[in-house]
Amino acid sequence: MEWNPQTRQFLSDCFLHTLSPAPEPRRRAESSLSEASNLPNFGLAVLRLVAEPPNSIDEQIRQSAAVNFKNHLRLRWSSEDNPILEPEKQQIKTLIVPLMLSAPSKIQSQLSEALAIIGNHDFPKSWPTLLPELVSSLQEASQSSDYVKVNGILGTANSIFRKFRFQYKTNDLLLDLKYCLDNFTAPLLEIFLKTASLIDSAAATVPPPPAANLQPLFESQKLCCRIFYSLNFQELPEFFEDHMKEWMSEFRKYLTTSYPSLEGSGPDGLALVDELRSAVCENINLYMEKNEEEFQGYLNDFALAVWTLLVNVSQSTSRDQLAITAIKFLTTVSTSVHHALFAADGVIPQICQGIVIPNVRLRDDDEELFEMNHIEYIRRDMEGSDLDTRRRIACELLKGIATHYGDAVRNIASAQIQSLLSSFASNPTANWKDKDCAIYLVVSLSTKKAGTSYVSTDLVDVQSFFQSVIVPELQSSDVNGYPMLKAGALKFFTMFRSQISKHVALQFLPDLVRFLTAESNVVHSYAASCIEKLLSVKDEGGRLRYSSADIAPIFAMLMNNLFNAFKLPESEENQYVMKCIMRVLGVADVQLDVARICIEGLGSLLSEVCKNPKNPVFNHYLFESVAILVKRASERDPSLVSVFETSLFPRLEIILSNDVTEFFPYTFQLLALLVELNRPPIPPIYMQIFEILLSPDSWKRTSNVPALVRLLQAFLQKAPNEISQGDRLTKVLGIFDTLIQSSSSSEQGFYVLNTVIESLPYEVITPYISHIWAAIFRELQKRRTVKLLKSLLIFISLFLVKHGWSNVIDTMNAVQPNIFSVILTQFWIPNLKLITGDIELKLTTVASTRLICESPVLLDPAASVSWGKMVDSIVTLLSRKEQDRVEDEGDMPDIAENVGYTATFVRLYNAGRNEEDPLPDIKDPRKYFVASLSQLCAHSPGRFPNVITENVETANQEALLQLCNTYNVALV
Amino acid sequence: MADPGFSSTKRDPIKSSVGNAAGIRRREHAVTVGKERRESLVRAKRLCRVGISDVEVDVESDMMIDEEQSILESQTSLAVQNLKSALAYQGKGAMQKRVGALQKLRRLLSRSEFPPVESAVKAGAVAILAQCLSFGSPDEQLLEAAWCLTNIAAGNPEETKALLPALPLLIAHLGEKSSSPVAEQCAWALGNVAGDDEELRNVLLIQGALIPLARMMLPYRRSTVRTAAWALSNLIKGPNPKAANELICVDGVLDAIVRHLTKADDESATEVAWVVVYLSALSNIATSMLVKSDVLQLLVNRLATSNSLQLMIPVLRSLGNLIAGDSHATYTVLSPGLAVTDNAIQVMIKCLKSEQRVLKKEAAWVLSNIAAGSVEHKQLIYSSEAVPLLLHLLSAAPFDIRKEVAYILGNLCVAPTKGDEKSSLILEHLVSLVEKGCLPGFIDLVRSADIEAARLGLQFIELVLRGMPNGKGPKLVEQEDGIEAMERFQFHENEDLRTMANSLVDKYFGEDYGLDEL
């Protein structure tokens, strides 16, 4: 693409149309641009358009071109596919810096990002002119005090230096860093100090200059601080160590000085100064963590400064980010070797009162979040995603101080809790937040104990706190009064569920059920969660503490309230309620009539979510609930299977016919469960589903494959006769053949084949055997991955134990003469040691043992080497630990197999298949092996010990001897 | 640049299925951005205040006088002028006159903490002094001239560069034909030149300073050995390993190192040990030759018997470099069962107990590399009294020491691996260290700002999750807030860490984890 008036016109028109509200011209422009983007020099042409003078091209067009330019670079700068060519790159690199610096701010920010993209790939080695250019422009801009430019340059430097914050320390990275340090540290300090003095003199001016004059200066300092962080991240550079004093005295100034003219100019002004202070806190926190020895001299001053600052900041609601970074700094100090700063008299109480409590107290925005966005509130409050909230960080500070001053913290915190509670008692209506604060402190400062979910605290006595503080809330007759206090009480109950004794907990279970009807989403979610967690508490020995009898009295009301909770606004897909239903159905004793109601309730929810699957967690628990209901209720009362089928089939059919692909894996798993619960013959409707199963389209999505295999196995086991009819088996084996051709699904293919071998009579399989072998040998020619070899050995073994060694050998050799001995010596013997899993180990051991003890092919004296090697391999398999004999191989994901939307396969825990043991009569494979071997030896005494001595490794000979001793047999 | 053959993988064993651990971190990164730290001793450059030979007796005029810097400067310019005219003077007593002028200049340059080097250089001192070094000049003159140059070279880098014209003569006087005070003074001057600038080091190497300096290390004369060793340690400090490679191949150098480490006084041994530090940090050949000699044993003995911090630092660092650099050190010299191995571990414990932070850190680094050795090495450390010490340090020491200690403890828990195999656990060590409470220390590292430390912490968490019997791992990690620590990496920009942390959380705390417990 050549830059000429036509190009200019073309691009300018296109970008104008991309802004059009009418879809037609917009789409046309977008597709013209996307087509043009394949031409060489497209990027350059767009950049030139951006560079056109404002009076000739509208700024809107240039802005949209700048966005396009940035995206173009992101896609093409170093892609494999049609990348920007070197000469074009060179020209772009030459143009971009001056252009970025002179552009209006919106275009500047786009170009700065574009520059950062180039920098990520090319800086510094392939772009040696960039840094010198930035430095000299910085000096020029600084001399003329042009802070638009200064900040543009600093912003760019900040983005190209960011990589030092997260890449591993390698020599290459350090070389780059050294280059940046050598060139940039001195100019950086210079501009930082210059701006600092401008700020100082502005602060001293009366009347103060307008906020707009100060704003770019603070912006600039903030950028300098961020760059400081990047350049200091890997290790402390010499330059910064030598100039620590200059940096630190300015840093301290920003923490201790207030700038009323800017801070008072509106929320943005205060936010900007606070951003600078936060950046300073991050820097000193970094020094405190990593260079505390060099930083030591400044520590006292900074600790005092941060502390004083925090006492002010903690009173205000809108300064969260600063409060958080500042508290983090104090936390770092408290856990460091310099923790003695906190040892002085009165420090800890002051921190507790002045910093921790004010930050833990509920604020208006917490209340707002509680009401307006319960999902986010729960995520932060209950699920630990509150790492960066001031409530949590304040508690972290207390925990930090407690690492060295545990007793002091405990005393002060429990005194605080008591005083908060008595303040609440004096006036519950006005001071309810004090109680919330007390509960929050107890919960947040508790520690988890070893074992499952045992949480403990030494701040209060859990039992009496529960009785005196929590129970009044639980028993409150108005489920909608003071919802935040209710939520806190429910959270306490949930957290300390293991310590609340069973009879106490059961006493309040009806109250929990009552709170399921609360209007507040957080409250009914917490109630559901609390019930759900209570029902999973395990006592010593892993027994569940609560049984069906415990919930029987309230069961009807519980289910009723749970299902009704979905009718409350914004809880239509409440995952906590759904999970609770799953848990209850897993514990309760579900009678016929209840089962009918439940499956209808779940079924209609299913119909609803099929229309637009939104919340994957809710959906998952919904399917789990269905699965556990179907499984438990049908096992108790087999007549229910048809009830479930009637309710579920229409819904599952909708999923399949409307192509709700997210739910396919769940659907196939549920169907498999239903097939298995049926007694043969299975209802004809299933054979319709079986046809879907055989269609190659179903198998195209990798996420479906495990569930489909699971379903196919269920069919093969429950309906072998139906499958033997027509061309169904041909189709099943066709699926096997397709699956083994991709390494990601080859195991699944063998699962299908193994089920065929296990479930169908031999006569039915006979006509297909040679094709099966041919397919397997073909794969062996292509690749010999561990997975394939293992699958092969397991299949041969299963075949052998089911249908005898002669069938195995004969059918193989029918494909190609003598191929059995090739397979035996090249694949079976050397790879037997790779087998893992108890059932698999037993199966292959038994098969291998039968082969050497029964088949004339191996008993032929001419085959004695193979015979001996096989013994060697079996001994290896049986005597060594899995991890000593098996090497993992890296899995190569087969991306080409993923078609379209990638739903992922999620296993339904409650629809799981029971592993079948093909050899239930043999308990101990080791015993079976040595006993068989000893019998064989007894038939021809003296023959086999020699073969063993000659062919079995010394270590394995000893292991074999040990095995014989263990089972008290001898090899003669 | 780093010697490419030098990427030993000694520290690799703590490797996990979710990611690769740091390879060994050699003490001397090929690139350093931090300040060169030689601890408590200004080593790179030294001012010569008091003469090195008995020639100098003129004590009273050497008295320190608190003069104004400006007076000092003008006196210096004048002294240079005087020297020029003294040199031009050919009459009777010319030699006396020259020496007198030199002494005057030398005194001015030796007098204050900040010698008036700039004025001397501006006045043209270097060319004149070089002239005074011409062959055949009397020793006294040579000595004084070299002394002046020594102190000029101790100035800032620009002033040091001014010495360029004098370098060939300074080097020439290192030869055996020179008297030892002269040679020594020249070595001192050259040591200063080599002090802080790679370019100047290269010039010195091209001009052949290395071999005569190396030969000066061979005889027994204490002060000569000391000065020569110090100058050499400056000259070979790279980052190009060529000089170190050459030095170790000079006939007799290895023997001299062994001899001095065996017999020399602490002060000389300190200088020699610094030579060993750079040899072992930079040169593969040197490392392998040193390891095959008795040096390891000698270094261990020195550490055991000395309490001089100045000596212990380079000795410990040399030991660490040798162990890190050549597997022969761990597997043959320090093989378990030998007395030297026990002694080595004992001296490390001594250093770990020391009040000196630098010794603790270096010793932990050395131990981490021994702990990367065979299973027997791990058992040896594990059963020594180091473990309680290490556990304490992991929870209470400053960050850099905690990180080193974590490498040791981590390495104690995994068996050596070959190639890319998954690391297998030493279950006994893992279980007992976790029971003794080391997990919170590792989780703290995950939370630290240092990404290598974070990686190490994650790898240890992986071991705990995978290895603790009865599936206790996930509970323990959860109990120590490990999930929260790992979740910090959910969107981290370091892809490796992000994947590692996320896959651990998914694998051990995914939906299934909930199902069993919930």
Side-chain angles (χ1 to χ4, degrees), chain A residues 324-364:
Chain A
I324 288 164
T325 44
I327 295 177
K328 277 185 179 165
F329 171 73
L330 287 189
T331 310
T332 307
V333 177
S334 75
T335 54
S336 77
V337 286
H338 300 296
H339 56 79
L341 278 176
F342 293 85
D345 250 4
V347 171
I348 299 175
Q350 283 182 50
I351 286 181
C352 194
Q353 260 154 13
I355 298 174
V356 177
I357 301 291
N359 278 297
V360 169
R361 282 182 67 87
L362 280 178
R363 289 153 194 283
D364 295 346

Side-chain angles (χ1 to χ4, degrees), chain B residues 288-303:
Chain B
S288 125
M289 286 169 71
L290 289 163
V291 164
K292 291 192 179 99
S293 72
D294 294 331
V295 167
L296 279 169
Q297 172 81 58
L298 294 170
L299 292 170
V300 170
N301 290 348
R302 279 282 175 180
L303 276 180

Side-chain angles (χ1 to χ4, degrees), chain A residues 27-38:
Chain A
R27 275 191 210 122
R28 213 172 326 120
E30 281 165 358
S31 83
S32 313
L33 281 172
S34 120
E35 205 173 298
S37 72
N38 291 318

Side-chain angles (χ1 to χ4, degrees), chain A residues 100-101 108 112 134 147-157 223:
Chain A
M100 186 258 316
L101 292 176
Q108 186 181 61
S112 176
L134 289 178
Y147 271 85
V148 177
K149 276 197 181 148
V150 166
N151 291 345
I153 297 160
L154 292 176
T156 305
L223 285 166

Side-chain angles (χ1 to χ4, degrees), chain A residues 263-276:
Chain A
E263 291 177 33
S265 70
D268 287 355
L270 178 62
L272 179 60
V273 184
D274 276 358
E275 278 169 27
L276 171 59

Side-chain angles (χ1 to χ4, degrees), chain A residues 93-136:
Chain A
K93 285 194 272 195
T94 320
L95 288 174
I96 192 165
V97 176
L99 192 52
M100 186 258 316
L101 292 176
S102 58
S105 69
K106 280 182 182 159
I107 293 179
Q108 186 181 61
S109 67
Q110 294 299 328
L111 291 180
S112 176
E113 275 185 56
L115 206 154
I117 293 166
I118 307 176
N120 280 340
H121 298 290
D122 287 15
F123 180 78
K125 290 192 186 66
S126 316
W127 200 357
T129 53
L130 176 62
L131 201 53
E133 195 178 351
L134 289 178
V135 168
S136 69

